[in-house]
Amino acid sequence: MKLNLSQIGQIRIGVADIDRSEGFFETVIGLRKLFRVGNMAYFDCAGVRLWLDQTADANQVAQTSVIYFRCADLGLTVTELARRGVAFTHPAHLVAPLEDHDLWMAFFEDPDGHTLAVMSEVSKGFDPIQRKVAS
């Protein structure tokens, strides 16, 4: 039997305060909330379900997961997130100059310190922050 595990159905991250995290992902990030049950909230990320689960011990919130949000325009996305109060731990930068395009990312944290990133694949040599071809 051949397995096909190429699609993610759900991602779970532990949070210290479900109300705070629910507000962050709904209002700041702008995800559509699917439902909430007790200390768990679920959001839609283009068909992948994000499950926020309040931990019994806030000291046990895992700091090892990263969620990468794909965006069409990194410059506009970074500007809007900053307007909403996001402080970037690593500003937008070129991560990988690939053969036929470039990969750019910017990193920030949610209220529990989980690393989040916005990523964009752009035309070769284009700087999405300066909005021009790099010289």
Side-chain angles (χ1 to χ4, degrees):
M1 176 177 143
K2 183 177 178 183
L3 292 177
N4 181 3
L5 301 177
S6 62
Q7 290 185 330
I8 295 172
Q10 179 170 285
I11 298 170
R12 177 202 171 267
I13 60 172
V15 299
D17 181 327
I18 190 64
D19 294 324
R20 181 183 65 182
S21 293
E22 180 180 32
F24 177 82
F25 281 93
E26 187 170 20
T27 305
V28 176
I29 301 297
L31 297 182
R32 182 174 66 89
K33 184 169 59 175
L34 296 171
F35 56 94
R36 178 169 170 176
V37 177
N39 287 330
M40 299 177 288
Y42 297 84
F43 293 87
D44 178 50
C45 298
V48 176
R49 192 168 46 226
L50 175 62
W51 167 23
L52 305 180
D53 187 13
Q54 183 170 309
T55 60
D57 181 353
N59 296 321
Q60 297 296 316
V61 175
Q63 302 298 316
T64 57
S65 301
V66 179
I67 299 174
Y68 296 84
F69 295 95
R70 187 180 305 273
C71 64
D73 189 319
L74 189 69
L76 290 177
T77 301
V78 165
T79 299
E80 178 59 19
L81 287 173
R83 187 188 72 74
R84 295 180 184 189
V86 169
F88 287 88
T89 57
H90 294 85
H93 62 284
L94 176 63
V95 173
L98 303 172
E99 188 174 319
D100 60 343
H101 67 279
D102 291 334
L103 177 61
W104 282 70
M105 293 183 186
F107 294 84
F108 58 103
E109 294 178 349
D110 76 356
D112 288 299
H114 295 107
T115 299
L116 304 175
V118 286
M119 60 182 280
S120 185
E121 296 177 357
V122 301
S123 297
K124 193 84 181 137
F126 182 74
D127 181 331
I129 303 306
Q130 299 295 321
R131 307 193 72 68
K132 64 180 182 179
V133 175
S135 48

